[in-house]
Amino acid sequence: MAQNILQKVIEEHLVSGTMEPGEGITYRIDQVLLQDATGTMAWMEFEQLERDRVQVPLVLQYIDHNMIQLDHKNPDDHFFLQTCAARYGAVFSRPGNGISHYVNLERFDRPHATLVGSDSHTTTAGAMGMAALGIGGMDAAVVMAGEPFDLQYPTQVRVVLENELRPWVSAKDVILEMLRRLTVKGGINKAYIFDGDGVSTLAVPQRATICNMILEVGATFGIFPADQRTREFLEAQERPDHFRELQPDDGAPYEEELVIDLAALEPLIAKPRNPDNVVPVREVAGTKVAQVCVGSSVNSSYEDLAIPAFIVKNGGGVSEWLDMTVSPGSRQALNMINETGVLADYIAAGARLLEVACGPCVGMGAAPPSGQPSVRTMNRNFQGRSGTQDDYVYLASPEVAGATALKGVITDPRDLGMDYPAIKAPKPVTDDFMLIWPPEPEEAGRVEVMRGPNIKPPPVPPDLPDALEGRVLIVLPDNISTGSMSPDGVIVMAERSNIPAISEYCFRKEDPEFVPRAKEWGGGFIVGGDNYGQGSSREHAALAPLQLGVRAVFAKGFHRIHRRNLINNGIVPILIEDDVYSKAAIGQEWRLPRIREEIRSGRTTFTLDMEGQEFTVRNDLGPHEREQLLAGGLLRYLKARTEGPS
Ligand code: MIC
């Protein structure tokens, strides 16, 4: 039977289930990627599973997020991660080596492989013809312990790319166009499978830009074929043996289709404060800007860095009213800009070079001034993510960022009157990676895991009682990102290994009384709108509410990763409609009188008692998810399974 490229990759790894949209499947994972901000929890969860060594062929521990060492916390975490990697058999990528997704693309991604990562932008590897997706730390731990990964098989969307991008229009505009059309929730439980004659016009780093931000439409996967361009990329990386062609069969099946004429696109920009708030650049041209940031996991390949440098150098330097930062995605990209003079161009033009890391994208330094627009080549612009509460972050291509840095106001690069430069990447340096390979098992067994004083084990979910009752703690609008439960920025992110400490920041932006209220009322319920928990994979967004006694979240819809993080941590995700949402108010007493029995019996509805009035609410729990909730979360479920009935 004819197959599309996602079906081909998954089938090679399939353990159980059928590849039908909405069906549960389990499949084998070849690679696991961890980063530092989510990795400490993942390793502590792995330790609870009591394995001596990771059970997947390749686990990679990157240090790329929490790079600012204000005090002992981040360096202690890095040390912990390095010792965990050595103790349990993971490759350790040292700080300074680069952003996980870029380094993985350069050194480890290979067509036909499967990858999961404790970072939502793990989808980036789809650029290499991989089935790659972001998951929570606990799911990563479980995969590392040797369990196959289970997933609801997504709806398959064929994205037909036609023609070729015009000068000054870039891959970033392709994904911004998708966000414009689909919105941040249009892609939930969907896989975007790229096809069409436009595919061959895009090099692997351009494909990576699209796959990175495919998560922003809520998608499970984005995946490109592995073709001649993939082969060229792998040859340049001196990994030609890793190439394996991946093409769809004639007549391959898809449930939906989306056509994008690359030649019809123009420079686009996402206005504050959601990535789908997309308009043509010309609509906001002339807006005064205080800051331009180039880099992040979405746009920091050599080509992405060379374009803005060309513009600011040839245009006469960075505008005097504006602060421009540049953070290369990898040590390889840094070497390349150094070798070709791009770095010297930036310095001469007045830009600031930042560390090779995620940097300003997660508010790790370079916070913008209050109330002042910042134009970034990054992937998210949720309020406060930059580190400044009153921020106005715009997302755009390197071309738009360069033009804006030059002019000091948002500028359509086509209006610069410059010829579009023919950027050709030099041969990359492929032997200068700061990777530390794990020792042999015997030696690894002697490695001591170093735990700094801020590293605390995650809270354990309590048993699910027959009935759940509590008060409504907060009522939230649509599209609440995980940055609301576990904020970005230097101060809060340094608490990623300490759930009691990080829970103090939960919903601080929305309601500074949330935490005191949750403590006073001994927990309660959260009520949200649609696409609740969009954005990052950080399981802290579920662990912080768990710490505060939250046992169920009621929402009109959930983002895939966060929904799973809630279940993993024993919190019940409950679907509501307007009848319930519109009546919800802080302080109401809600009761789920038969929750345990309703979960156990497989019912897709729950009974909700709202202050004496009865409502029927829904759930979309699969059989495994029900078992996990009944057991008190994923780890307790796995332990009970191993230990057997007591
Ligand atoms: C992000 O871009 O939001 C992050 C920071 O990379 C997160 C991971 C995290 O919160 O540590 C993600 O995308 O999953």
Side-chain angles (χ1 to χ4, degrees), residues 173-216:
D173 299 308
V174 178
I175 189 64
L176 288 175
E177 171 66 9
M178 290 181 74
L179 274 154
R180 192 185 68 77
R181 291 196 209 172
L182 300 168
T183 78
V184 286
K185 54 183 193 226
I188 293 180
N189 292 329
K190 293 191 179 176
Y192 290 89
I193 304 171
F194 292 87
D195 198 8
D197 60 2
V199 164
S200 63
T201 68
L202 301 174
V204 169
Q206 291 171 294
R207 298 175 185 183
T209 293
I210 297 169
C211 287
N212 177 290
M213 280 184 71
I214 207 77
L215 188 276
E216 259 47 74

Side-chain angles (χ1 to χ4, degrees), residues 4 6-7 21 153-158 191 193 253-256:
N4 64 49
L6 179 66
Q7 289 173 318
Y153 194 76
T155 300
Q156 308 164 110
V157 186
R158 177 175 181 235
I193 304 171
Y254 304 89
E255 286 74 48
E256 293 174 19

Side-chain angles (χ1 to χ4, degrees), residues 467-490:
L468 268 181
E469 50 198 337
R471 296 172 75 178
V472 173
L473 291 166
I474 192 165
V475 181
L476 298 151
D478 289 350
N479 296 326
I480 283 292
S481 90
T482 53
S484 294
M485 297 74 116
S486 172
D488 298 85
V490 185

Side-chain angles (χ1 to χ4, degrees), residues 362-641:
V362 281
M364 205 44 60
S370 297
Q372 300 297 321
S374 169
V375 172
R376 300 174 165 214
T377 65
M378 304 174 171
N379 42 30
R380 290 183 176 147
N381 56 352
F382 308 135
Q383 184 181 1
R385 178 175 164 97
S386 65
T388 297
Q389 265 321 301
D390 187 24
D391 61 3
Y392 287 85
V393 175
Y394 292 73
L395 309 173
S397 67
E399 285 80 353
V400 173
T404 302
L406 177 68
K407 297 292 184 191
V409 293
I410 295 179
T411 302
D412 185 326
R414 297 172 301 180
D415 295 340
L416 291 173
M418 289 182 187
D419 288 334
Y420 193 59
I423 305 279
K424 177 132 182 49
K427 165 107 195 57
V429 179
T430 56
D431 59 357
D432 185 27
F433 283 88
M434 301 191 299
L435 296 167
I436 302 176
W437 295 80
E440 290 304 312
E442 201 174 301
E443 198 194 322
R446 289 193 285 269
V447 173
E448 188 195 346
V449 173
M450 306 296 285
R451 276 168 237 272
N454 199 47
I455 301 180
K456 311 273 188 234
V460 178
D463 286 334
L464 182 73
D466 294 336
L468 268 181
E469 50 198 337
R471 296 172 75 178
V472 173
L473 291 166
I474 192 165
V475 181
L476 298 151
D478 289 350
N479 296 326
I480 283 292
S481 90
T482 53
S484 294
M485 297 74 116
S486 172
D488 298 85
V490 185
I491 308 290
V492 190
M493 285 182 72
E495 303 288 2
R496 285 290 183 94
S497 305
N498 185 335
I499 300 302
I502 211 165
S503 68
E504 294 291 328
Y505 298 90
C506 194
F507 293 124
R508 186 173 282 192
K509 170 163 60 74
E510 286 71 17
D511 182 353
E513 292 309 309
F514 174 81
V515 173
R517 192 183 298 134
K519 286 185 181 168
E520 193 191 322
W521 294 352
F525 300 126
I526 292 171
V527 179
D530 203 358
N531 198 24
Y532 178 81
Q534 71 160 326
S536 154
S537 67
R538 59 193 72 160
E539 63 187 323
H540 307 73
L543 286 164
L546 173 67
Q547 174 74 31
L548 295 166
V550 172
R551 305 300 319 278
V553 177
F554 296 78
K556 291 188 191 172
F558 292 88
H559 188 273
R560 173 185 63 82
I561 309 178
H562 184 62
R563 177 183 172 281
R564 177 85 161 234
N565 285 339
L566 290 173
I567 296 170
N568 287 351
N569 287 293
I571 301 177
V572 191
I574 299 175
L575 292 162
I576 52 170
E577 309 289 339
D578 257 331
D579 57 341
V580 169
Y581 182 80
S582 60
K583 293 193 179 61
I586 294 175
Q588 288 171 342
E589 301 271 0
W590 285 19
R591 199 160 182 269
L592 293 154
R594 293 185 282 282
I595 184 80
R596 197 174 169 90
E597 175 50 25
E598 286 165 340
I599 292 182
R600 204 198 49 74
S601 64
R603 283 187 60 168
T604 53
T605 56
F606 296 143
T607 316
L608 167 67
D609 178 333
M610 266 173 90
E611 311 224 292
Q613 222 190 326
E614 201 167 285
F615 287 85
T616 301
V617 289
R618 283 186 309 115
N619 72 75
D620 57 356
L621 299 167
H624 274 131
E625 295 173 335
R626 288 173 190 275
E627 287 178 44
Q628 288 162 23
L629 285 170
L630 293 171
L634 177 56
L635 290 186
R636 291 189 63 196
Y637 163 75
L638 288 175
K639 278 194 188 164
R641 206 186 58 182

